[in-house]
Amino acid sequence: MNLSARVLVFFFVGVFIWSPALGGFDLSLSALGAAGGSSASDRELEFLQAGGHDPGRNGFNLQNIELSLSATVDPYFYAQANVVFLIDRHGDTVVELEEAFVTSRALPAGLQLKAGQYLTDFGRLNAQHPHSWAFVDQPVVLSRFLSPDGLRNPGARLSWLMPLPWYSEVYLGGQNADGETAVSFLWKPGESVGGNVLIDRGGARGLTDLLMSARWLNGFDASDTVSVNLGMSALAGPNASGTDTDTRIYGVDVYLKWKPLLNQRGFPFLAWQTELLRRDYQTPAGTLKDGGGYTQLLWGYAPGWVAGARAEYADAKGETEDDPLRDKRTRASANLTWHMSEYSKLRLQYNHDRAEQLPDGRAHSLWLQYEVGFGKHAAHLF
């Protein structure tokens, strides 16, 4: 761990110790880890479990420790910062500033401004933190198209809650397009996408060098017991395969939840979630086309107990056998989660993976995940 990371660790440990005396903001900490194994080797798990917070090696994994600070600054702004600590698949300690942003509280006409370092509003899952996921790992297509750690960068976003008889909100944003959290865009020079070695295109010189995002989210009640969310998202920005090449990513998402009028702490329930994505990655030799998605179903059959099933698919056109980020992938997962309380849970999950990169084409994995958390934390998204 380098000096700057150590300073950051000591600073936030100090904040945590002295927070009762400081007052004025909400503080929370959540710890997420997993133990288990796979028929795949640790080397093969590097591309099978491509998410930065996935359990990425056989044995024990410290997936995510998140320290969150939030506060209402004044009548005009709300502020939040999330600092993440983890031990990566190589055993190295990682400290990163996941998010640090302000949001406006007093703009007229249903407008809200968000500025700083934040997770991009694209689809349902990208803006959610790992402790709120319904599965142990991130869907394959999101790790490929957005980033192993989620698509996030410094920038600003304006949202508009439209004056309609149902919930309807539009998000428009612009962020930096470079770095390891923007793998479909400027990413890091020397990396390779579809056989194209990425170059250094330099910093942003204008709006065309920024990553632009758009999302339209609608929500309504289909009946007294069924709620629906429908979303469409788009990303556009430069990529580093050439001096004037671009990337476009499109997505649609659906979330449907049934909960009877008579329930006990929100149970029983059924929740269905699906995201489909397409990527057009321009290179000097032509455009690479990729697609994929996932669909998942959760059944909360008793207070604190949730059973889940998820199916995933990702593929690309052209020769892909030698590229672990574009080969044909499918994954089927089943899990059982016991929410022991609002602040702790245990989750057992089985994955069956198929991938062209594996010697026999398939792998079986079993993970036991645990989470503990304390302090005040923001409500999870519907």
Side-chain angles (χ1 to χ4, degrees):
M1 185 165 52
N2 59 34
L3 179 60
S4 61
R6 291 177 182 174
V7 171
L8 194 61
V9 169
F10 285 123
F11 171 76
F12 280 102
V13 168
V15 168
F16 180 77
I17 292 173
W18 289 102
S19 61
L22 295 175
F25 60 85
D26 294 332
L27 178 71
S28 68
L29 185 142
S30 65
L32 197 65
S38 173
S39 60
S41 66
D42 285 353
R43 179 174 164 275
E44 292 163 345
L45 284 174
E46 288 197 26
F47 62 84
L48 277 185
Q49 300 289 98
H53 300 282
D54 294 355
R57 61 177 177 175
N58 292 290
F60 293 92
N61 296 264
L62 188 58
Q63 295 177 263
N64 194 65
I65 295 180
E66 179 181 286
L67 183 64
S68 178
L69 300 93
S70 60
T72 299
V73 179
D74 53 31
Y76 308 102
F77 290 104
Y78 168 85
Q80 181 174 329
N82 302 302
V83 180
V84 168
F85 309 84
L86 60 88
I87 298 176
D88 67 15
R89 65 187 76 225
H90 305 295
D92 296 325
T93 299
V94 177
V95 182
E96 58 185 19
L97 182 63
E98 185 178 53
E99 292 188 286
F101 59 85
V102 296
T103 52
S104 65
R105 303 181 64 231
L107 292 183
L111 296 173
Q112 185 184 67
L113 178 66
K114 184 176 188 177
Q117 163 88 348
Y118 61 90
L119 289 160
T120 309
D121 292 286
F122 182 95
R124 284 194 58 84
L125 201 61
N126 184 69
Q128 297 181 20
H129 296 179
H131 68 267
S132 64
W133 294 351
F135 287 80
V136 166
D137 36 27
Q138 180 172 259
V140 172
V141 68
L142 299 188
S143 298
R144 288 185 174 187
F145 289 8
L146 304 184
S147 131
D149 289 310
L151 179 59
R152 53 185 168 87
N153 263 335
R157 182 218 73 190
L158 184 68
S159 63
W160 177 36
L161 183 60
M162 292 188 283
L164 295 174
W166 67 93
Y167 168 78
S168 185
E169 193 163 11
V170 173
Y171 305 82
L172 298 173
Q175 294 170 278
N176 292 345
D178 57 341
E180 61 184 2
T181 56
V183 297
S184 291
F185 300 94
L186 296 183
W187 200 8
K188 294 186 295 184
E191 297 288 351
S192 176
V193 176
N196 298 275
V197 178
L198 304 186
I199 64 173
D200 184 359
R201 285 182 52 166
R205 298 179 298 274
L207 290 178
T208 57
D209 292 322
L210 294 178
L211 167 59
M212 309 303 293
S213 63
R215 177 163 170 76
W216 183 24
L217 179 61
N218 291 273
F220 56 91
D221 293 329
S223 70
D224 291 339
T225 58
V226 177
S227 299
V228 180
N229 275 4
L230 302 173
M232 296 185 294
S233 306
L235 299 168
N239 72 52
S241 67
T243 57
D244 59 353
T245 49
D246 297 316
T247 299
R248 301 286 188 271
I249 302 177
Y250 310 95
V252 294
D253 56 274
V254 180
Y255 180 78
L256 183 150
K257 186 172 184 178
W258 168 84
K259 182 173 66 177
L261 296 177
L262 296 177
N263 61 79
Q264 182 180 358
R265 305 200 318 269
F267 291 84
F269 71 84
L270 279 173
W272 174 58
Q273 177 173 317
T274 295
E275 290 192 56
L276 301 174
L277 289 81
R278 192 190 82 187
R279 176 175 65 173
D280 295 334
Y281 189 95
Q282 188 180 30
T283 75
T287 299
L288 304 176
K289 295 184 179 294
D290 307 75
Y294 70 90
T295 185
Q296 65 186 46
L297 183 66
L298 303 177
W299 175 33
Y301 61 89
W305 290 91
V306 182
R310 182 183 67 187
E312 303 179 51
Y313 175 81
D315 198 5
K317 291 185 177 179
E319 296 295 326
T320 61
E321 301 88 22
D322 297 327
D323 190 343
L325 295 179
R326 301 188 72 243
D327 70 336
K328 183 176 181 180
R329 285 288 307 277
T330 63
R331 175 191 285 164
S333 305
N335 69 19
L336 180 65
T337 305
W338 176 29
H339 295 269
M340 294 175 280
S341 71
E342 184 182 354
Y343 302 100
S344 61
K345 73 181 179 215
L346 286 174
R347 172 175 292 147
L348 184 65
Q349 179 170 315
Y350 165 75
N351 287 346
H352 178 255
D353 283 281
R354 288 180 177 270
E356 293 175 326
Q357 299 292 311
L358 294 172
D360 61 355
R362 66 182 65 194
H364 305 271
S365 306
L366 188 66
W367 306 106
L368 178 64
Q369 185 184 58
Y370 60 89
E371 180 197 350
V372 295
F374 49 86
K376 295 183 179 180
H377 59 276
H380 295 166
L381 296 175
F382 169 78

